[in-house]
Amino acid sequence: MPKKGQSSRGSSSKKKTPAIVSAGDVDDSFIVFTNSKTDKKPPPPKPTTAENAKDPGQKAAAGPDGSATEDAPKRPDTRTLIGGSSWTGKLPLNMLSEHCQKQKWEKPEYTMSKTPEGFSSMVILKSKNPKTGETVSLPPFKLPPDHKQLAVQPSAVEARHFAATYGLFRVCNMRNIHMMLPPTYRELWKGVFQDLKKDDVKHGNGWMYEADPFVAKREREEAQASAAKKREAAQKPKAKEGGEPGAGNGHVPRVGANPGKGWSTVPKIDMGKKTRTEIEDLIRKHAVWNPYGHELSTAEKGNIVRDLSGLGFKASHIDEAVAYCSDREETLEWLLIHVPEDDLPTWTLPEGYVAGISMASANFKKEAAVKRLSMAGYAAELCERQYDTHAGDEGRTAEALQRLLMHGDEIANAMLASDLASVTLEPAEHGPGLAVWEEEQITLEAIYADRYKRPSRDVTQLRLEVVDTLRNNNTPRRMSLQVQRPLAAAYPAAVPTVSLLTEPTLPAYIRLSIIRKVAQQAESHFSGEPMIFLIVDWLEANVFDIIDKPCKLRDVAAVSSPIAELGTFSAPRAQNRPKKRPQRIDWRPDTPASQRLLAAWTARQATPAQQKMLNVRRSLPAWELRDDIVYAVNTHQVTIISGETGSGKSTQAVQFVLDDMIKRKLGAAANIVCTQPRRISALGLADRVSDERCMAVGQEVGYAIRGESKQTFGTTMITFVTTGVLLRKLQTSGGSSADIVAALADISHVVIDEVHERSLDTDFLLVLLRDVLKERRDLKLILMSATLDADVFEKYFARDGSVGKIEIQGRTFPVKDFYLDDILRKTAFGSSGKQSRYEDSESEDVDGGDDALIANKIQNAGMRINYDLIGETVRQIDAELGDEDGGILVFMPGTMEIGRTIDAIRSIPDVYALPLHASLLPQEQRRVFPAAPRGKRKVVVATNVAETSITIEDIVAVIDTGRVKETNFDPHSNIVKLEEVWASRSACKQRRGRAGRVRAGKCYKLYTRNAELTKMLERPIPEIKRVPLEQLCLSVKAMGVKDVPSFLGSALTPPASEAVEGALVLLERMGALKGEEMTALGRHLAMIPADLRCGKLMVYGATFGCLEACLSIAAILTVKSPFNAPQAKRDEAKQARAAFAKGQGDLVGDLRAYEEWSSMRGPAVHQRDVRAWCEQNFLSHYTLNDITSNRSHYLSSLKEIGFLPGQYHSSNVDSQKTYNAHNSNDALIRSLIAGAFSPQIARIGFPERKFAASMSGTVELDPEARTIKYFNQENGRVFVHPSSVLFDAQTFVGSADFMSYFNKMATSKVFIRDLTPFNAFTLLLFSGPITLDTLGRGLIVDGWMRLRGWARIGILVSRLRSMLDEVLARKIEQPEIQLADNEIVRISRRLIELNGMDR
């Protein structure tokens, strides 16, 4: 609808056309839109005349009242115009208004300009001081001139929404709210606007993107005023002295004592002189500028010189820096490190600066020459000595180094003597062989055209055309050859000096090998004739042969330096041993192997044991459909088998297929892999099917789970595996779709069981297999579901061919249901009036037929888990069964609830209670299958692992709480919640069926009929829609997929695009991805079956010498804290946890408690005493055992991927020295936790300091805990969860100014949990990129965390961090490398421990 005072688009009213102003003359601010009540309303539109209606351009006739008739085209509403017809979310205009309202700013106003191209608008933000009434207006948010055309929109409405989006980006760019924008504006946010921000930050304009632009404006004005005063003060004494060149140096000085509240309250960093000197020495040894050899254009150099001159650097210094650097940032870093401190701009220096020792050498020319020479691979120390020997002649030094490389010390020294004797024989312009050299240059330029460069008279550079067909998929390698004319002898009688300019992916000894081989080839074959063309031609043909077979290390040892190789060059990727690809299936029938299998199978059928098993199998419903199943599998590439509980689908279908292949004399081709969602299912089915075939596990039937495998190559034909194991097999196959197909070459059938559960791994596997089936037409896929709703799977695979379908009816004995009201009647629970132990009640009315007493009991018992009621129910079932055999299965949502249930029923006589959940070791899980000891009643308390796939034969009664724990993730708030929710009705049906497997049973449902109908979903939500996707996206990347969103979009149920995009952003911030490529860290994290943050922590632990501690913390995070907090003793429990933590944070406290418990386990301490100690310290014995189990799994995984040696053991002395020397270093562990959790970081905001008088003088008071505030990037203010040991903290260890957290949850507030405090140097070493505030106020980390301090400290730590990242990458690529004594790791550790100080 048109607004009041405006005609609709279809209106026939004719208005006077305003004069059109040319685009160049448009005033962008002449129209202001406002919502002020004092604004005058425009007059109503004039009625449309008949004459107007006759306008031939009119598309719709106007009615008598001037409005359009029904034939007029309907004007789209604003929501459709901005977001599209399907958009139901918020619009940019509303989002900006809401943001301004939350910030207590005035309503945004919009300018409007009309140009021939369309409409253009800008937003103006205002803020009113509530005390003074003063209103501050910001200048309109303008796009840069070269992007101004983006703001031009077809209509005024679209222009305002564009302006609102850009305004929102300017103040909210650090948050992920773009996920809530319409698609067009979301793309602008992620694309153009982000590029504009990067460009502005690059040029020192990061202040434009502050969250509070009014504070940024005030700070900038104060900084400029302070700068002006300091400039005047600095120029006065120099003016008296007559002035000097460069007197204006530093004209953008550091902010004075009052830089504004935004910076005055942020943490301050400093660095001890000794520590700083050590870091400078490291950088001098290892750092390389412009490692990829990027050459700046003249225009780029000019821009950098102008930009940095404006920041106070001397033009002569900048001119020198740009010769060595690749961009503005690197040039700025080079200047801050190399320019003497007394010549640096004032803003770069610390407060109270007194000129001190400069890192840079006095001879810039020498230092630059030595760095250039060492880039070829020569040791820097050797280059410096040779440079001094040759009187600072870089060309003659390069010649001498090449002679030393080719001929060794003795011959080189002899040649050096003659070289020195000829140094002054001829002027350079008349050097030997110059005429021949010049003539050859003309020829080379004609031949190579743009591949030819000549930086100087005596130096030529030629870009090589080389393609590494073996390793890089025909991708050209960036490689150039630099050739220098021989200076001490005539060319071409003497060989020129050569060096290789390439990406630093080759170690120094390989570069030197190439130089040596080239020089030897030229000396022996090309000497005496112009040879550069011949050298290039030979090198292009042989360079990769040299890389494959370089010189022996001793051949280049005289000039190489292992320390230079470590720091200067990126470590090459570890050359993985070529994987042995499985052989393709031989589908020829009647082979000798197939004949032997048929004969053995036929003979076995006649044995009494096999006949007995066949009789058991014949009783299953699946047996009646064995021919149908075999026919469907043989005639379709994809078959779906649906079968209810007890149908025998899981045990029988694979046997039917195998027996059919054996009978058709194709037994040798059979290799059936059957996936299971859980380890216990794979183990149980392998045991059961082996028994039915009268063979031992590991022969014809085997299994493979994480950390354990039992199968025989060439003999095992059915293998039960967890879904993760099969995915791991595909992940490690090589990374391309062809590799994945090849990895399944020897598999004839893939069976995915329990596909209805829709786990993340299952959905991922389905996407991969659908692509594999197109390439492998002989591969058969069988999907097995416990529910009869296969339509969704049929549609997914039907597009590639017909799908076979088999439905098997269940075979269960009758099961009688008892709901909560029935249970209360049977047990008479609540009649005694005793206080029952139950979780927070959730009362609910019962159905209409129940009396008031039962209704009251239900209300008292509640709908949450009531452990006393469970105990009474077990007692009642045991009494009803009497002397009859039969077990009880209790379904609980999690391990904690399992522990509490076992505690509740332990007092019942003759009960044999066993836990069952995924965290138990396989041998512990198997304990549930045998019968209970004589005279005992087996009670298995399990999570949903017991719902399907496993059969505990003697179960006759099921107690179902109807609850399950699910992970739910909100991509908008980036909050993960592990919630206890109602199980689905289909899941409860599976649970019920467990009671009727062997005889008629009973199911006791601890919920009402009404809850079952109204609160339970029919089926569970697919996991891919409700969990974070970082691990999945990384796994997809690990398989060589470039476009992850498109790949996951082809899933059975595609995840939300916001969740995928957010996951990829987080992976890049974590260091697992760099652009589109995986990093070394990412490749390892993809292989570790753990949360990415836990995997990263374990990698850090192995690198920094505290592996055992990091393993334990990762296991604690995977399970939960071992501490219990009973409602009645919550304060005591918190004090017990705090006693272990000692202010170090939640995770370090949990670690130390676990370590103490672990040290008590053994023959020296009785188990009863250990349990008593646990109770005394509020520790859960069950949780501690779960942590130990998970810890073992993680240790096995690190060995499997080769990150740890196979012989590693926690108690081994060598292991302790190499991997665990710093297990007790709390400061280091806290820092590694923070590094692993980044970017999950909160800033600690301390209140203003307060002091009090004392006998010894004035002392600073600790702030009250409630006055300390915490802030993160996404949510602003966040709150410490009350369960944390830091909830009441007034101070923090180690000068901590930041807090890392593992979990974030939203209730009434946003709470952070699992907290670890850490200091500023941890932030600098392990968090996001470091940028400089060019107003001299300090550093900005990861785009939002501020630190006050000297700019040079930030650059030094930034360079140290890049070297540390390189060391970590090398460790990850080559795990056998030991870093215990590595100087980079050592000084990084010291920086963390001492917070930058010397001691």
Side-chain angles (χ1 to χ4, degrees), residues 66-141:
S67 62
T69 65
E70 293 181 1
D71 293 336
K74 186 178 179 181
R75 176 185 178 183
D77 60 17
T78 301
R79 184 173 299 280
T80 303
L81 187 66
I82 302 303
S85 57
S86 62
W87 181 252
T88 58
K90 294 182 179 180
L91 299 179
L93 215 64
N94 309 104
M95 291 174 66
L96 181 59
S97 294
E98 289 176 5
H99 180 76
C100 291
Q101 187 177 3
K102 287 179 182 177
Q103 300 300 318
K104 298 182 179 178
W105 300 338
E106 298 294 291
K107 287 185 178 180
E109 297 180 356
Y110 297 86
T111 71
M112 183 64 67
S113 301
K114 189 174 187 307
T115 68
E117 293 79 16
F119 294 85
S120 177
S121 178
M122 292 182 290
V123 67
I124 299 173
L125 299 185
K126 296 183 178 182
S127 176
K128 187 174 182 179
N129 189 317
K131 294 181 180 179
T132 65
E134 179 187 3
T135 300
V136 177
S137 296
L138 297 177
F141 286 163

Side-chain angles (χ1 to χ4, degrees), residues 218-423:
R218 185 173 65 251
E219 290 177 355
R220 189 166 175 78
E221 289 172 350
E222 290 173 351
Q224 289 171 345
S226 176
K229 290 181 181 179
K230 293 211 167 199
R231 193 160 56 243
E232 291 175 7
Q235 289 174 347
K236 282 181 181 178
K238 293 184 179 181
K240 293 179 181 179
E241 298 172 7
E244 295 178 4
N249 176 38
H251 71 281
V252 187
R254 174 180 49 80
V255 176
N258 181 27
K261 187 177 180 181
W263 281 90
S264 61
T265 58
V266 301
K268 184 178 179 181
I269 56 168
D270 202 356
M271 187 180 287
K273 184 177 180 181
K274 180 181 176 183
T275 302
R276 184 179 136 219
T277 302
E278 285 190 45
I279 296 176
E280 289 172 346
D281 288 342
L282 274 180
I283 293 173
R284 190 179 292 113
K285 285 181 183 178
H286 301 300
V288 168
W289 306 93
N290 193 8
Y292 293 97
H294 174 70
E295 186 173 341
L296 293 168
S297 67
T298 304
E300 287 174 324
K301 288 181 180 179
N303 289 335
I304 293 174
V305 170
R306 282 192 299 274
D307 192 7
L308 297 184
S309 295
L311 294 178
F313 291 97
K314 289 184 177 179
S316 58
H317 291 163
I318 305 169
D319 284 334
E320 185 172 358
V322 294
Y324 311 125
C325 300
S326 60
D327 55 28
R328 178 190 182 276
E329 282 69 29
E330 192 173 39
T331 304
L332 181 57
E333 291 184 5
W334 192 97
L335 290 167
L336 286 170
I337 289 178
H338 288 85
V339 173
E341 291 167 9
D342 54 4
D343 212 13
L344 281 170
T346 315
W347 66 267
T348 66
L349 300 173
E351 295 178 14
Y353 166 76
V354 177
I357 300 171
S358 170
M359 165 189 172
S361 65
N363 191 340
F364 275 35
K365 180 181 177 184
K366 173 183 174 180
E367 187 172 318
V370 168
K371 283 187 177 290
R372 283 193 294 271
L373 291 166
S374 62
M375 281 291 289
Y378 301 110
E381 296 84 352
L382 177 64
C383 295
E384 187 172 359
R385 288 198 303 271
Q386 291 290 330
Y387 187 82
D388 291 338
T389 302
H390 289 83
D393 189 320
E394 186 176 345
R396 292 183 185 278
T397 303
E399 258 184 62
L401 289 169
Q402 181 168 299
R403 283 198 298 269
L404 191 62
L405 172 64
M406 291 175 62
H407 304 293
D409 288 339
E410 292 183 7
I411 300 176
N413 287 336
M415 298 175 72
L416 175 61
S418 63
D419 182 8
L420 291 175
S422 63
V423 167

Side-chain angles (χ1 to χ4, degrees), residues 1142-1182:
K1142 297 177 181 177
Q1144 301 287 337
D1146 299 322
L1147 297 179
V1148 175
D1150 293 351
L1151 166 68
R1152 299 310 177 202
Y1154 173 80
E1155 288 176 339
E1156 189 166 339
W1157 171 81
S1158 187
S1159 67
M1160 296 175 66
R1161 300 172 69 203
V1165 183
H1166 196 278
Q1167 186 69 16
R1168 182 178 61 254
D1169 296 331
V1170 177
R1171 285 184 176 272
W1173 179 84
C1174 288
E1175 291 178 8
Q1176 179 184 349
N1177 290 283
F1178 297 91
L1179 288 163
S1180 167
H1181 184 72
Y1182 300 105

